[in-house]
Amino acid sequence: MINKKVVTLNEFIIEEQKGFPYATGELSSLLRDIVFAAKLVNREVNKAGLVDILGTTGSSNVHGEEVKKLDVFAHEQFVNSLRTSGECCGVASEESPDFLSFDNERAKNAKYVVCIDPLDGSSNIDVNVSIGTIFSILERKTISGPCVLEDFLQAGFRQVAAGYVVYGAATLLVYTTGDGVNGFTLDPSIGEFCLSHPDIKIPEKGKIYSINESYRARFADSVNQFVDYCKVEDKASNRPYSCRYIGSMVADFHRNLLKGGIFMYPAMSTHPNGKLRLLYECNPMAFIIEQAGGLATSGEQRIMEISPQELHQRTPIFIGSKEMVYKVVEYINQEKLVGSVNGVSH
Ligand code: AHM
Ligand code: MG
């Protein structure tokens, strides 16, 4: 049997850095700090089933310590790791209404800010179904001193790195620094992420569509027409496509990235901007999908070109295999055209 050399994430990051002769190592170091926190979160996620034995959240455990909700725990791990990293001057987290600015001397002059959803897929946390962490790294706009809101409010095409961790049957980390997408599986026996999915490319033609169809009555007609199109029997285009929806963006996205498909969280009559957040859910996934050869749009424009106005801004999203995204946009544009002809706007 050929004994293939295992490439650990650390080795990979160092190799990748060598490709940039002027790299200072700050980004590599920041990535490692995020990965370290992810390992701590992973350990806790794996123990989640034991809460009934060790104490329910909000109560005290056998050690007399308060048992924290997992999403709060995850937020604290990432923030602590980034605060002490020295490479990050502030964090915007789904778990915090305002961004956090780090005031220690090294952090104040650090080059990067991080936007993060520490534990996404909240409805799945208590039921042992895959959840994830999503992160986006931006170079700050200000030069030094405490970070400000404008450092975070940058369009997605300015991201220098983005990634996610899926805590599933195995724990995987997928990330990009703008030079392709690579995936690493955590080997729990050695505590290292090892390269398992080099240079990921999403198939151009997918066969999976992921959407919460229970909101059908709230979607635009064009979205429903696309979903109906996915269900039509047609040998030539391999339809009907399969519907798969876990309700954890990271898990749904990850499956579609590897197998080919589209994930949608559209605008709804009740939520005109959909549900998902631009800075730490949609932008990082859009960066990854484009690097893997796919597309991400709000239906109106490329996700990574949206100019953010607020930290927790939401946007509708259609993301995945090129052909499927083109198709749904075709329906959306058709609806707009008909609307403008009839003097109705959607
Ligand atoms: P959360 O940040 O509260 O976990 O919500 C985000 C999650 C996504 O992971 C998932 O795609 C979506 O919410 C599912 O929402 P819904 O239950 O409305 O389909
Ligand atoms: Mg979330």
Side-chain angles (χ1 to χ4, degrees):
M1 204 174 99
I2 303 164
N3 190 7
K4 265 181 40 194
K5 157 112 174 71
V6 174
V7 179
T8 66
L9 179 58
N10 270 339
E11 289 170 329
F12 188 88
I13 290 175
I14 292 165
E15 269 312 301
E16 202 176 38
Q17 192 191 314
K18 283 187 195 157
F20 300 90
Y22 301 108
T24 54
E26 291 155 292
L27 179 62
S28 303
S29 168
L30 182 55
L31 279 168
R32 280 195 294 265
D33 293 324
I34 292 176
V35 170
F36 176 71
K39 286 182 189 171
L40 298 179
V41 172
N42 177 61
R43 194 178 62 188
E44 225 50 32
V45 167
N46 284 337
K47 285 197 304 201
L50 295 172
V51 285
D52 286 343
I53 303 164
L54 301 176
T56 51
T57 51
S59 71
S60 296
N61 66 16
V62 286
H63 308 293
E65 302 151 341
E66 197 200 326
V67 180
K68 293 211 169 95
K69 287 191 73 173
L70 262 183
D71 39 12
V72 176
F73 174 84
H75 166 82
E76 287 176 359
Q77 296 311 311
F78 285 107
V79 170
N80 288 344
S81 184
L82 291 168
R83 179 179 282 122
T84 50
S85 140
E87 315 297 356
C88 172
C89 59
V91 182
S93 162
E94 180 170 341
E95 292 298 323
S96 168
D98 284 323
F99 67 88
L100 306 168
S101 172
F102 300 147
D103 52 12
N104 59 70
E105 239 3 86
R106 219 177 127 209
K108 264 202 301 206
N109 296 313
K111 207 155 82 181
Y112 298 107
V113 293
V114 172
C115 301
I116 192 160
D117 186 350
L119 209 55
D120 183 63
S122 44
S123 65
N124 287 318
I125 292 178
D126 295 337
V127 288
N128 200 18
V129 172
S130 297
I131 46 183
T133 295
I134 314 173
F135 64 90
S136 157
I137 303 178
L138 293 158
E139 212 168 296
R140 68 188 295 181
K141 278 178 128 176
T142 47
I143 309 294
S144 59
C147 59
V148 298
L149 184 60
E150 281 61 42
D151 292 324
F152 297 92
L153 298 185
Q154 299 190 57
F157 67 82
R158 295 196 176 278
Q159 292 171 103
V160 293
Y164 62 82
V165 183
V166 51
Y167 310 99
T171 298
L172 250 102
L173 177 133
V174 174
Y175 85 100
T176 182
T177 54
D179 185 24
V181 180
N182 292 283
F184 301 81
T185 303
L186 182 65
D187 180 341
S189 65
I190 55 169
E192 292 277 6
F193 282 98
C194 302
L195 182 62
S196 51
H197 298 72
D199 196 19
I200 300 173
K201 293 286 173 224
I202 184 168
E204 284 211 0
K205 298 177 195 208
K207 220 187 128 24
I208 298 172
Y209 67 100
S210 309
I211 186 168
N212 188 340
E213 253 200 283
S214 64
Y215 302 134
R216 188 178 172 94
R218 301 174 181 173
F219 295 149
D221 292 343
S222 49
V223 173
N224 291 331
Q225 281 157 9
F226 173 71
V227 172
D228 292 342
Y229 163 88
C230 293
K231 296 175 181 173
V232 169
E233 195 84 42
D234 177 53
K235 266 216 173 93
S237 57
N238 235 338
R239 282 176 290 155
Y241 299 147
S242 292
C243 172
R244 294 282 182 272
Y245 192 75
I246 294 169
S248 271
M249 187 197 200
V250 176
D252 280 312
F253 176 93
H254 182 68
R255 179 202 52 242
N256 293 1
L257 175 67
L258 297 186
K259 296 199 161 187
I262 185 168
F263 172 88
M264 298 171 275
Y265 210 111
M268 299 190 284
S269 50
T270 49
H271 299 76
N273 295 317
K275 175 182 184 186
L276 300 179
R277 317 290 184 143
L278 176 61
L279 290 185
Y280 43 78
E281 291 176 328
C282 299
N283 267 343
M285 294 313 210
F287 191 15
I288 292 168
I289 210 78
E290 287 196 9
Q291 283 294 315
L295 290 173
T297 174
S298 67
E300 296 287 328
Q301 69 183 125
R302 182 178 166 221
I303 289 287
M304 287 207 287
E305 278 173 10
I306 299 174
S307 184
Q309 306 299 311
E310 288 169 35
L311 217 51
H312 298 286
Q313 185 169 329
R314 299 173 199 267
T315 175
I317 187 166
F318 303 87
I319 184 166
S321 293
K322 255 187 191 158
E323 274 205 3
M324 297 180 96
V325 176
Y326 282 143
K327 194 75 196 171
V328 71
V329 168
E330 206 179 293
Y331 278 105
I332 292 170
N333 287 341
Q334 231 166 46
E335 186 176 33
K336 268 193 240 158
L337 198 69
V338 173
S340 67
V341 169
N342 295 338
V344 184
S345 66
H346 236 290

